[in-house]
Amino acid sequence: MAGWHRREDPEGQLLTTYDVIVVGLGGMGSATLYHLARRGLRVLGLDRYDVPHEYGSSHGLTRIIRLAYWEHPTYVALLRRSYQLWRKLEQDAGEQLLHITGSIDAGPADGPVFSGALRSSELHGLPHEVMTGDELHRRFPGYRLPRGTQCLYQPEGGFLLPERCNLAHLAGAKAAGAEAHTQEQVIEWGATSGECWVATSKASYQANRLVLCAGAWASKLIPELTGLAQPERQVLAWLEPSRPELFTPERFPVFYVEVEEGRFYGLPSFLVPGFKLGRYHHRGEQVDPDSMHREVEPEDEELLRGFAARYFPDGAGPALMTKTCLFTNSPDEHFILDLHPEHPRVAIAAGFSGHGYKFCSVVGEIMADLCQRSETRHEIGLFRLGRFQGLGSRRAVPKSAPTERK
Ligand SMILES: Cc1cc2nc3c(=O)[nH]c(=O)nc-3n(C[C@H](O)[C@H](O)[C@H](O)COP(=O)(O)OP(=O)(O)OC[C@H]3O[C@@H](n4cnc5c(N)ncnc54)[C@H](O)[C@@H]3O)c2cc1C
């Protein structure tokens, strides 16, 4: 790969050139920057906000990690690597980032959540136990799921600390020589057969390769993703338990459950003394991330409190904290990890559909592989853009290099 050098742009200003530029320093971008820098590449990371910040998808103190992946068994191998890389990051950072509580995937016996978790567990030989709602309550008394609910307990589930993880990836990248600029928005990018460039709110840069990890803003930077990476408003609540001792990490596994009211996820009290929960696809609100309503309204809280009152009555007290956040949904809710279809020097990580955080560490490794070798040893067939043939927008992305633009 090309080394670092400087060139002049058409206005005679110096253009700094890198091996790789990473756009977005949230969960995926900070991990990508870390892996690239540790492979000895000269890298620049750019974010329009700070690291961390609360406008995207990677804030809110905790994120579930679970191995019995009901969404598809393909994720399990990636998760095993993710766990290894999170533990490695903890060693580098000298702090605990991953907490093990066990995980519950529950729902009707023939529903996708329980049956998918069971399938992944059996296919991959994961340790697991199946129990009824009653048995689950006896084991973990904070849970009051209906008697007939099928519950799969997997002991390796737990949670990550996303803001700390993003900072640990960034610090590790910087220690390996990466440059990172926050408060610098990428306005335009392009690629030719020989190089890539980005124009930001402050300057222009060139690179051999470009990685776009823009989260909810993905389709603003990559118009081809319009309709394939759709931002959606989400709400999180931390409710004060009447019996806090039932909602500690030692006694309360993280969960993903399918009930009459929809699919919900939840975590034990940690840092905030509240039972944390959210509804997957909260109120189905498709939004523009630049104009999303970021206040939490009474009806948002009621929706979450109603679920808690019915299934976790000892955890359904007053709200201690609430937050909005953004999902970025792909049509099949599987990720988008691929090279750009028209610009093979550009790699894309997008469409994490509300379940991506646990994979940041391995996605960083995959993006670094795609930059270095245009391929990866990881199985990413499920995540290729080609599966959406005929879907999404086919508007052209900017293609010209800075010298051809003006
Ligand atoms: C409420 C909620 C709960 C969730 N719970 C879980 C969970 O329990 N477990 C789990 O695994 N996943 C969970 N997820 C999903 C997970 O958090 C996301 O999939 C993940 O954080 C996505 O990371 P990202 O890097 O794509 O996005 P982000 O972390 O948002 O990063 C994108 C970055 O790109 C930057 N950017 C955008 N445009 C530009 C530009 N033009 N120039 C420069 N920078 C730009 C943004 O500022 C941002 O920092 C949850 C998500 C939400 C919202």
Side-chain angles (χ1 to χ4, degrees):
M1 240 182 215
W4 171 82
H5 61 281
R6 282 172 182 272
R7 276 174 38 168
E8 286 188 357
D9 76 2
E11 283 94 31
Q13 288 181 339
L14 286 176
L15 269 187
T16 310
T17 298
Y18 298 85
D19 290 329
V20 186
I21 296 173
V22 179
V23 180
L25 291 176
M28 305 300 164
S30 60
T32 301
L33 197 76
Y34 169 90
H35 282 278
L36 287 165
R38 290 175 67 98
R39 292 180 190 192
L41 300 186
R42 183 163 180 89
V43 283
L44 169 66
L46 296 166
D47 202 289
R48 57 185 287 172
Y49 298 118
D50 295 328
V51 180
H53 65 81
E54 297 221 333
Y55 304 109
S57 306
S58 298
H59 58 284
L61 302 174
T62 50
R63 283 289 184 274
I64 292 172
I65 183 165
R66 51 192 164 82
L67 201 48
Y69 224 63
W70 68 266
E71 288 87 339
H72 198 286
T74 288
Y75 288 94
V76 178
L78 294 177
L79 278 162
R80 287 196 194 280
R81 180 63 179 152
S82 258
Y83 272 85
Q84 278 177 359
L85 290 169
W86 288 123
R87 290 303 188 200
K88 171 84 180 57
L89 185 66
E90 285 183 324
Q91 284 168 14
D92 290 355
E95 63 175 313
Q96 188 175 356
L97 301 169
L98 167 57
H99 294 255
I100 299 298
T101 59
S103 61
I104 302 294
D105 288 285
D110 57 354
V113 175
F114 173 76
S115 66
L118 186 60
R119 179 164 167 246
S120 279
S121 299
E122 288 175 349
L123 267 175
H124 289 277
L126 303 177
H128 67 281
E129 290 172 52
V130 172
M131 48 190 119
T132 62
D134 277 353
E135 288 163 345
L136 183 67
H137 170 64
R138 283 199 287 280
R139 178 96 165 258
F140 302 110
Y143 282 80
R144 303 276 185 104
L145 297 179
R147 175 168 303 179
T149 312
Q150 287 293 292
C151 311
L152 186 141
Y153 170 71
Q154 208 286 321
E156 289 147 284
F159 60 87
L160 292 154
L161 311 183
E163 290 91 343
R164 301 300 311 165
C165 291
N166 289 6
L167 283 167
H169 272 137
L170 182 64
K174 286 184 73 70
E179 257 183 69
H181 302 179
T182 56
Q183 301 284 345
E184 185 166 347
Q185 181 175 355
V186 171
I187 310 293
E188 255 188 307
W189 65 271
T192 65
S193 57
E195 66 185 2
C196 306
W197 59 268
V198 299
T200 74
S201 47
K202 296 186 178 161
S204 294
Y205 310 93
Q206 283 182 316
N208 210 347
R209 297 276 188 152
L210 185 60
V211 186
L212 301 175
C213 304
W217 291 267
S219 63
K220 295 201 176 208
L221 274 184
I222 313 163
E224 282 93 338
L225 294 189
T226 303
L228 303 182
Q230 174 59 50
E232 185 188 9
R233 178 176 177 271
Q234 298 298 310
V235 174
L236 288 165
W238 285 254
L239 305 182
E240 188 173 357
S242 53
R243 296 187 61 196
E245 72 281 7
L246 302 185
F247 292 86
T248 63
E250 296 72 32
R251 296 190 72 188
F252 192 84
V254 298
F255 70 80
Y256 194 112
V257 302
E258 184 186 3
V259 289
E260 271 170 30
E261 296 87 345
R263 296 179 193 167
F264 291 74
Y265 52 91
L267 301 99
S269 299
F270 190 80
L271 298 174
V272 175
F275 161 47
K276 179 182 173 185
L277 74 157
R279 181 185 190 211
Y280 205 73
H281 299 311
H282 183 63
R283 288 161 63 200
E285 298 164 286
Q286 303 202 344
V287 293
D288 178 329
D290 291 320
S291 56
M292 182 179 90
H293 181 61
R294 291 183 182 271
E295 300 300 309
V296 174
E297 298 301 333
E299 50 270 37
D300 292 318
E301 201 184 309
E302 274 160 30
L303 189 157
L304 299 178
R305 181 181 306 288
F307 164 81
R310 181 165 179 194
Y311 302 109
F312 298 88
D314 298 316
L320 292 167
M321 190 161 92
T322 54
K323 281 195 188 301
T324 54
C325 186
L326 280 151
F327 280 2
T328 309
N329 301 316
S330 78
D332 59 7
E333 300 191 352
H334 295 307
F335 308 157
I336 297 171
L337 304 176
D338 208 345
L339 297 174
H340 189 288
E342 290 165 32
H343 303 296
R345 290 182 173 273
V346 179
I348 298 170
F352 290 96
S353 306
H355 62 115
Y357 198 86
K358 59 186 85 59
F359 296 91
C360 290
S361 55
V362 71
V363 168
E365 183 167 77
I366 290 168
M367 289 293 114
D369 289 348
L370 292 179
C371 287
Q372 279 194 306
R373 302 196 301 275
S374 299
E375 59 184 35
T376 176
R377 72 182 166 87
H378 294 292
E379 177 50 62
I380 60 167
L382 185 65
F383 311 122
R384 296 284 188 183
L385 265 169
R387 73 190 193 273
F388 299 128
Q389 216 92 50
L391 293 177
S393 155
R394 297 302 305 163
R395 277 185 288 143
V397 290
K399 278 186 200 157
S400 55
T403 44
E404 297 156 0
R405 269 190 297 150
K406 299 264 156 67

